[in-house]
Amino acid sequence: MTYSEDEILKNPLYQSVLYELEKAGKHIGINRNVMERLKLPRRSIRVSIPVRMDNDRVQVFNGYRVQHNHTLGPFKGGIRYHPGVNIGEVAALAALMTYKNSLLNLPLGGAKGGVQLDPSALSKAELEALTRRFTSELSPFIGPDKDIPAPDVGTNSETMAWMLDTFSLESGFSQTGVVTGKPVEIGGSKGRSCATGLGVVYILEKSLEVQNKNISEATIAVQGFGKVGLHACVEAHAMGARIVAVSDRSGGVYNPKGLNVTDLINYVGANRLIKGYPKAKSISNEDLLALEVDALIPCALDGVINSKNMKSIRAPLIVEGANGPTTPEAGEYLVNNDVLIAPDILANGGGVVVSYFEWVQDIGWLFWTEKQVRDKLKDVMYSSFEKVWNFAEDYPDKTKGKYKDLRLAAMGASLMRLEKAMKLRGQAW
Ligand code: NAD
């Protein structure tokens, strides 16, 4: 199947990523040739995935893998199963992975993949058949030294186990390093399942500190109660924060005195969705975004904080657990109005950091304790926050708000490392 370049360039999330790229590039005076190379992904793969459904009929799904840049190492990025997946969104998320991995000092490039479907509408057998066929279609392009997928929205450790098994069957030997985020029993890393949420909380802690607040006294609202949001709630709660509101695609719940996170997890475990949770007031996702809390943590989809609702945001801090939750227009408005934003490529980097640890453990066949993983993650998250904060001081921006534009600083620091590497490899001059 083919696609036109326009399908990528016209996607709103891709346009946002390009806008941030060009803005940061201009800010640091980046080499023109480096910029040209980063504007489009290196390779975009689109596949048809025929699946024999439970009713014996064949249904064909659209699957994608976009490999944006691999100057720093093998491509790396998640696989998303969601009805809104398209080539442009996948390309934008792949580019964000390039910038995230560069910022976090990892020896990895950026990629992303996805299949356009609603996973809740498929049986487990159908999902397994689809994942295996998708992996088979991608197998010439992925591998421990080439491109290493991981879970994202709508996928999990089980999806990764099926990918690992299919890839290994086709290779004729077990290749545990082909994916990360797999179960611990088959080469996964301890601490991977909570890593993104934990990383978000380390950045929350540091961001509150610069606002002269302590996490143990903070109130927070979290949008999204999946792999990122749920663990962000658990870890923030463990550090003393009061989780006053949480939502998922069915809506949200609010209790100004603080939600009982364990009770909510049990409820969602039994009922799949937050809707109907009896021990708190029901609110909408829009209500949640407008709450007066110390920190707002979007952990669902992109573009949720935008020109339509930016003026209703009352939190002085946004920590972006999701990828691309704030549009450029809303981000600039909020930063100019005294809101501190810890950007996605910094705030949700904990997932790929521990994915990197998992890959290193698989390659070395030597596994670490959960404490080792958490300690190493904390070091990376704290030092990355400091790197971005110092970069913002060294390269001052023109925002009129109380705080620097940390997205600009994070992109700037990331691009500088990439520029150096691309020049050294002779990719730009
Ligand atoms: P997930 O599928 O586990 O959870 C997504 C959550 O968002 C669910 O609770 C879902 O109900 C909710 N949601 C979906 N649509 C919504 C809507 N319209 N309004 C409100 N809530 C909605 O996915 P995840 O892995 O937690 O990923 C969430 C975000 O974090 C995505 O942007 C993803 O790219 C990003 N991210 C994930 C990881 C990771 O390790 N999983 C790492 C970095 C970034």
Side-chain angles (χ1 to χ4, degrees), residues 91-408:
L93 294 167
L96 282 178
M97 287 307 297
T98 299
Y99 307 130
K100 190 182 301 181
N101 292 337
S102 175
L103 174 70
L104 299 166
N105 238 6
L106 303 178
L108 297 168
K112 201 84 180 187
V115 182
Q116 197 179 62
L117 66 98
D118 174 3
S120 66
L122 271 69
S123 69
K124 190 165 164 176
E126 289 168 341
L127 277 175
E128 178 174 353
L130 174 127
T131 302
R132 288 186 179 278
R133 183 60 188 252
F134 184 41
T135 308
S136 188
E137 292 298 331
L138 293 185
S139 65
F141 306 101
I142 61 173
D145 300 320
K146 294 187 199 170
D147 182 356
I148 307 129
D152 190 72
V153 174
T155 55
N156 54 30
S157 58
E158 190 172 46
T159 323
M160 295 305 113
W162 294 329
M163 290 192 83
L164 184 167
D165 192 60
T166 307
F167 188 79
S168 298
L169 284 173
E170 294 196 357
S171 316
F173 61 102
S174 193
Q175 302 226 47
T176 54
V178 66
V179 289
T180 58
K182 57 196 169 281
V184 172
E185 294 79 359
I186 52 170
S189 176
K190 289 191 174 136
R192 173 61 184 90
S193 53
C194 63
T196 312
L198 179 59
V200 165
V201 172
Y202 287 141
I203 297 299
L204 167 69
E205 190 191 2
K206 287 282 147 193
S207 307
L208 285 165
E209 262 173 43
V210 300
Q211 294 187 318
N212 299 316
K213 289 181 187 170
N214 192 305
I215 191 164
S216 63
E217 288 158 9
T219 54
I220 66 174
V222 181
Q223 183 185 56
F225 203 55
K227 293 181 292 298
V228 182
L230 184 150
H231 288 289
C233 288
V234 170
E235 301 293 344
H237 181 69
M239 287 167 84
R242 187 152 33 110
I243 323 296
V244 297
V246 172
S247 67
D248 66 11
R249 64 189 160 85
S250 70
V253 286
Y254 173 61
N255 182 346
K257 292 191 182 133
L259 296 162
N260 180 332
V261 176
T262 313
D263 195 52
L264 190 58
I265 292 173
N266 290 339
Y267 179 85
V268 173
N271 300 279
R272 292 188 68 185
L273 294 168
I274 287 177
K275 195 173 176 179
Y277 179 68
K279 298 179 192 164
K281 188 181 156 206
S282 289
I283 55 169
S284 68
N285 265 290
E286 279 305 313
D287 296 337
L288 179 138
L289 295 174
L291 288 174
E292 199 170 347
V293 282
D294 291 313
L296 186 59
I297 314 189
C299 298
L301 297 176
D302 55 83
V304 292
I305 301 173
N306 49 47
S307 57
K308 289 196 194 111
N309 61 10
M310 62 192 187
K311 292 191 177 149
S312 64
I313 305 285
R314 287 187 290 167
L317 170 64
I318 297 173
V319 181
E320 295 185 338
N323 283 312
T326 314
T327 63
E329 186 184 356
E332 281 168 12
Y333 171 84
L334 291 165
V335 171
N336 280 319
N337 282 278
D338 299 339
V339 177
L340 179 63
I341 302 182
D344 46 9
I345 62 169
L346 169 67
N348 68 33
V352 71
V353 169
V354 177
S355 270
Y356 165 62
F357 294 163
E358 180 175 331
W359 180 65
V360 167
Q361 291 171 77
D362 287 332
I363 290 171
W365 299 102
L366 184 66
F367 292 87
W368 308 345
T369 64
E370 180 149 2
K371 181 171 183 321
Q372 284 174 306
V373 172
R374 289 175 77 102
D375 287 351
K376 284 177 200 290
L377 172 64
K378 190 196 253 186
D379 283 350
V380 178
M381 297 314 288
Y382 280 6
S383 62
S384 300
F385 183 86
E386 215 164 291
K387 176 176 173 179
V388 172
W389 191 260
N390 292 340
F391 196 94
E393 299 282 323
D394 294 345
Y395 293 83
D397 56 54
K398 297 192 178 73
T399 50
K400 295 188 234 55
K402 227 171 146 172
Y403 304 104
K404 299 270 188 323
D405 183 344
L406 295 193
R407 189 184 319 280
L408 185 62

